[in-house]
Amino acid sequence: MNTAPATEIKEDPIYKLNRDYLLNFTTDAARRIEAMRSSEALDVLEEQPAHVLARVFERLNPGAADNLLKQLPEAVATELLKTIDIRSGSALLSRCPQERREALLARMDKGIAKEYASLLEYPEDSAGRIMQPHVVAFNQSVTVDAAISQIKRRKVSSLHHLLLLDDNLRLVGSVDIQRIALADGHETLASLSSPVKAVVQSLDPREDVVAKMEKHRVDAIPVVDMDNRILGVIEGQNLIDALRENLASDMQTMVGASKDERALSSSVFAVKRRHPWLQINLLTAFLAAAVVGAFEGIITKYTALAILLPIAAGQSGNAGAQALAVTMRGLTLREISMRHWLRVMLKECGAGLLNGLGIAITCSAGIYLWSRSFGLALVMALAMIVSMTIAGVSGAVVPILLKRFGMDPAQSSSIVLTTVTDIAGFMSFLGIATLLSPLLEAG
Amino acid sequence: MNTAPATEIKEDPIYKLNRDYLLNFTTDAARRIEAMRSSEALDVLEEQPAHVLARVFERLNPGAADNLLKQLPEAVATELLKTIDIRSGSALLSRCPQERREALLARMDKGIAKEYASLLEYPEDSAGRIMQPHVVAFNQSVTVDAAISQIKRRKVSSLHHLLLLDDNLRLVGSVDIQRIALADGHETLASLSSPVKAVVQSLDPREDVVAKMEKHRVDAIPVVDMDNRILGVIEGQNLIDALRENLASDMQTMVGASKDERALSSSVFAVKRRHPWLQINLLTAFLAAAVVGAFEGIITKYTALAILLPIAAGQSGNAGAQALAVTMRGLTLREISMRHWLRVMLKECGAGLLNGLGIAITCSAGIYLWSRSFGLALVMALAMIVSMTIAGVSGAVVPILLKRFGMDPAQSSSIVLTTVTDIAGFMSFLGIATLLSPLLEAG
């Protein structure tokens, strides 16, 4: 069996001394390496065996570690990643440029490469996919001056917070860059630290990121792994994009299309996600048809009723959709909560009634002109008032009820509502027609 | 006529010397006053006549000016505001805490108070309403050290950019706070300046703010008046809130409710905004009814057709709404643009066809079970395939066409679409029934 280490150990006393220091005072050594120019740091590290490198990299702050990993010879970097604890290694790799990452994975044994790949695979729309992997993080014991000189060297382009880590690279706090600008140079970062209000894990879905951002009203969220090791940050445009996508996809869930469908997704993908809801919609359509069927007698007698059915259902459907959209917006923006249900309902009841009255006038006038039947016009007028009021109330109540029962109020609320408004429209129109059928006779 | 100044001029030589300096070297004096503690600055300014104060305040950076205005005796502040150029004055007042502003306005003559009030009245959802009036702005000739010591004194809580002004308080650039942290103390802010990519005026609507933010991908937008004088900044949570409200209100415009309606707006307000679209919807519903009316003959013969009408329209309506939501999201998030119209249309055509096939199977099975009529089941199956394909294509085409013709694709796209899908549903179902009526006979 060949047990010789892949990297040959130089027995030059300086390297030996360095190695002893790196192994026995790793935390201290890590701070010193972070403060070096990267060429100096590479000189110190390049010839060290992988197990020493692994110890050091488990202590280096992400910025310095990322920078050095990029510059280590591929062979050395691969050995390091094979030796280092796999979760520290995957944090390193996840922040690595894609090309470099692939080159390093290609050099590893299949087994370990596969293990890394599975840790690095963030699902679509997960926090890991939207995060920015270039983070600026420092050990909390570093002084302001040391941090500033490291930031200057790294030429970071836009920076609002520094993340603070403990000796095990766990996230322990953050410092607003403005506090750095105003602080004395010899203060430690720890003394300026504020707690991190919200973090997400790399596999958390985008909705959770947005929900935490909204709950804690922060404009940057660090992404960590299970051990609270920093993987990246979601902030600025990335966060804004996440928010926009999240809100825009609410429109999709309302009609039973899934959040992850995009305008240019394939037809097959679209069908897979939308079809189940269309089948459910079919069931509800049968229900609406059954309502019409219950009035078969009067329809057979007055075909005009069948012709006017689209108007009855269409107007209440639209009035309901308006009430739904406004209520959904209120829930989404937290302008209203559950306890406002009565106020919202009364408002929509009033709006439905007033809109119903207005539509009743023009609609029945139109019908009278067309049919010259006073009875038919009256039936439609009454049906409009009743069904549009019901539709308004339903538009407010459906999403509030969905939320009350712990469901996403966006999820298919539009499908549920259409059923309600269809049935309300048909039932009020045909029901009133049945009640007033003597008037239809006269018409 | 009484021309004596309201503030008595002390003829003490020191005040006179100060006054000469303030009047003749105003820009220079303003820089010095900004650098003073506010008690010192007040000592210098308090006893000066209003026209001198006005000259100086027209040159002071907003932070310093706001701070001093707050501490000046009310009588002096009122005189200052009466004397200063009204637009400089309204910029000062708009950044003033509300209570203080009202107290100062109450002390002025009605005429000038009214003029100020009209300049300060930002309409709902305008940039002026959502901006944060506490800005950190400096003359561009100030050094980094001087800026830092002023920021330290003012205890600003969260700060990402410094705005840079010329001697006339016009916005000329901005400096990222991180560049301040890394710069040498003696550099001028001008040497660190980057151009301001986007500004808005205080009366610009929220949509413009969001559009500029998206176009320039910035996370802070200064609000200026017509003379490019800074009134405030929209950034962080204010910007995010603007974005969210803007997106959420898209849902409302799709169904013809206005952007400015909130869940708790009054019923009357809701009716005013929604009713016109309901009347338009009524017209389109008459159109759909006319289509059904054209098939009166066959409906009279087979009442079952009337009963099944809700299914024909309901399914195509829902399929269309799904296509619309996904396409709208693509347009809103700029995932697609006009040139993708063919790809999107083909995708939705494919999705509509496949969904139509699936629904045709279950739907015709259901109808056969209910009616035992093979003909009726076949008619519905064919109608589903045709109408759901048309609905899918329309859902993609309607918003793209609205945008093509320079309209807001959100505006009432849902109302337009419902008309199309209703007519497609009725026409295909009743049309195919007419063509295949011998089969219905047999059923």
Side-chain angles (χ1 to χ4, degrees), chain B residues 81 90 92-108 116 120 122 133:
Chain B
L81 289 168
S90 72
L92 275 172
L93 271 176
S94 97
R95 296 190 307 261
C96 201
Q98 199 186 341
E99 254 176 63
R100 173 80 171 171
R101 178 166 58 224
E102 282 165 8
L104 293 177
L105 286 173
R107 278 175 151 266
M108 291 181 203
Y116 268 124
L120 290 169
Y122 302 124

Side-chain angles (χ1 to χ4, degrees), chain A residues 44-281:
Chain A
V44 173
L45 293 175
E46 224 169 51
E47 310 291 335
Q48 298 295 342
H51 73 279
V52 177
L53 286 185
R55 281 285 283 275
V56 175
F57 269 82
E58 279 166 16
R59 289 285 186 276
L60 281 177
N61 76 43
D66 300 350
N67 193 29
L68 290 173
L69 184 70
K70 248 190 326 206
Q71 295 179 57
L72 280 179
E74 267 188 22
V76 179
T78 312
E79 277 310 307
L80 162 64
L81 289 168
K82 278 163 66 179
T83 315
I84 203 168
D85 164 69
I86 185 139
R87 289 213 287 223
S88 303
S90 72
L92 275 173
L93 270 177
S94 95
R95 295 190 307 259
C96 202
Q98 197 185 345
E99 255 175 62
R100 173 79 171 173
R101 179 166 60 226
E102 281 165 10
L104 293 176
L105 286 174
R107 278 176 151 266
M108 291 180 202
D109 302 334
K110 278 226 171 120
I112 189 159
K114 221 169 162 181
E115 210 171 330
Y116 267 124
S118 78
L119 282 173
L120 290 170
E121 208 168 75
Y122 302 123
E124 182 106 35
D125 293 335
S126 66
R129 273 288 182 95
I130 50 181
M131 73 188 182
Q132 156 73 267
H134 305 290
V135 294
V136 180
F138 289 98
N139 188 284
Q140 55 181 340
S141 65
V142 163
T143 64
V144 167
D145 274 345
I148 288 181
S149 78
Q150 288 184 46
I151 298 171
K152 276 186 187 172
R153 239 188 4 247
R154 273 195 240 147
K155 302 195 179 72
V156 182
S157 69
S158 164
L159 176 62
H160 293 156
H161 312 274
L162 302 185
L163 298 173
L164 299 190
L165 312 175
D166 67 11
D167 289 340
N168 295 312
L169 300 188
R170 265 86 167 156
L171 181 66
V172 290
S174 91
V175 181
D176 209 288
I177 184 75
Q178 156 213 357
R179 302 199 66 186
I180 300 280
L182 306 182
D184 287 324
H186 59 268
E187 290 182 71
T188 64
L189 296 180
S191 69
L192 305 174
S193 173
S194 0
V196 176
K197 285 197 222 155
V199 295
V200 288
Q201 296 208 342
S202 55
L203 297 182
D204 288 349
R206 192 182 54 206
E207 290 121 86
D208 290 9
V209 176
V210 173
K212 282 197 176 167
M213 182 214 83
E214 290 176 350
K215 186 169 166 208
H216 301 284
R217 295 189 76 77
V218 289
D219 50 14
I221 297 188
V223 181
V224 295
D225 68 9
M226 279 176 300
D227 302 315
N228 211 20
R229 251 185 300 249
I230 192 84
L231 300 174
V233 174
I234 305 174
E235 65 180 337
Q237 283 301 327
N238 290 336
L239 193 61
I240 286 174
D241 288 345
L243 179 74
R244 298 175 66 215
E245 296 207 2
N246 211 48
L247 275 174
S249 56
D250 268 0
M251 281 194 295
Q252 299 186 181
T253 53
M254 280 175 71
V255 290
S258 78
K259 278 185 191 249
D260 50 356
E261 190 188 330
R262 289 179 164 71
L264 294 175
S265 300
S266 75
S267 300
V268 174
F269 181 89
V271 171
K272 268 190 201 150
R273 304 306 170 100
R274 299 180 192 174
H275 200 78
W277 284 106
L278 288 172
Q279 292 286 359
I280 290 174
N281 198 49

Side-chain angles (χ1 to χ4, degrees), chain A residues 148 151-152 156-161 176-178 180-184 213-214 217-219 236-237 239-241 243-245 247-249 251-252 254-257 259 261-268 270-271 274-275 277-279 281-282 285-286 288-289 292-293 296 299-300 303-304 306-311 314-315 318-319 321-323 325-330 332-336 340 343-344 346-348 350-351 354-355 358-359 362-363 366-367 388 415 422 426, chain B residues 148 151-152 156-161 176-178 180-184 213-214 217-219 236-237 239-241 243-245 247-249 251-252 254-257 259 261-268 270-271 274-275 277-279 281-282 285-286 288-289 292-293 296 299-300 303-304 306-311 314-315 318-319 321-323 325-330 332-336 340 343-344 346-348 350-351 354-355 358-359 362-363 366-367 388 415 422 426:
Chain A
I148 288 181
I151 298 171
K152 276 186 187 172
V156 182
S157 69
S158 164
L159 176 62
H160 293 156
H161 312 274
D176 209 288
I177 184 75
Q178 156 213 357
I180 300 280
L182 306 182
D184 287 324
M213 182 214 83
E214 290 176 350
R217 295 189 76 77
V218 289
D219 50 14
Q237 283 301 327
L239 193 61
I240 286 174
D241 288 345
L243 179 74
R244 298 175 66 215
E245 296 207 2
L247 275 174
S249 56
M251 281 194 295
Q252 299 186 181
M254 280 175 71
V255 290
K259 278 185 191 249
E261 190 188 330
R262 289 179 164 71
L264 294 175
S265 300
S266 75
S267 300
V268 174
V271 171
R274 299 180 192 174
H275 200 78
W277 284 106
L278 288 172
Q279 292 286 359
N281 198 49
L282 180 62
F286 271 113
V292 178
E296 191 172 356
I299 292 176
T300 315
T303 324
I307 295 171
L308 296 176
L309 277 180
I311 299 177
Q315 285 304 95
N318 204 256
Q322 290 181 336
V326 175
T327 308
M328 275 296 304
R329 163 229 168 93
T332 306
L333 299 182
R334 286 163 221 243
E335 290 168 354
I336 52 167
H340 294 105
R343 262 181 77 189
V344 175
L346 288 177
K347 171 215 167 183
E348 290 302 342
L354 290 174
N355 275 328
I359 294 294
T362 45
C363 186
I367 288 173
M388 286 177 75
I415 290 177
D422 272 359
F426 295 143
Chain B
I148 288 180
I151 299 171
K152 276 186 188 172
V156 182
S157 69
S158 164
L159 177 61
H160 293 158
H161 312 274
D176 209 290
I177 183 75
Q178 156 214 356
I180 301 279
L182 306 182
D184 287 325
M213 182 213 82
E214 290 175 351
R217 296 189 76 77
V218 290
D219 50 15
Q237 284 300 328
L239 193 61
I240 286 174
D241 288 345
L243 178 73
R244 297 175 67 216
E245 296 207 5
L247 275 174
S249 55
M251 282 193 295
Q252 298 186 183
M254 280 174 72
V255 292
K259 278 186 190 246
E261 190 189 330
R262 291 179 163 69
L264 294 176
S265 299
S266 76
S267 299
V268 173
V271 171
R274 298 180 193 174
H275 200 79
W277 285 107
L278 288 172
Q279 292 286 2
N281 199 47
L282 180 62
F286 271 114
V292 178
E296 191 173 358
I299 293 175
T300 314
T303 323
I307 295 172
L308 296 177
L309 278 179
I311 299 178
Q315 286 302 97
N318 204 256
Q322 291 181 335
V326 174
T327 306
M328 274 297 303
R329 162 228 169 91
T332 307
L333 300 181
R334 286 163 221 242
E335 291 167 353
I336 53 168
H340 293 105
R343 263 181 79 188
V344 175
L346 288 176
K347 173 217 166 182
E348 290 301 342
L354 289 173
N355 275 329
I359 294 295
T362 45
C363 186
I367 287 173
M388 287 178 75
I415 290 177
D422 272 0
F426 295 143

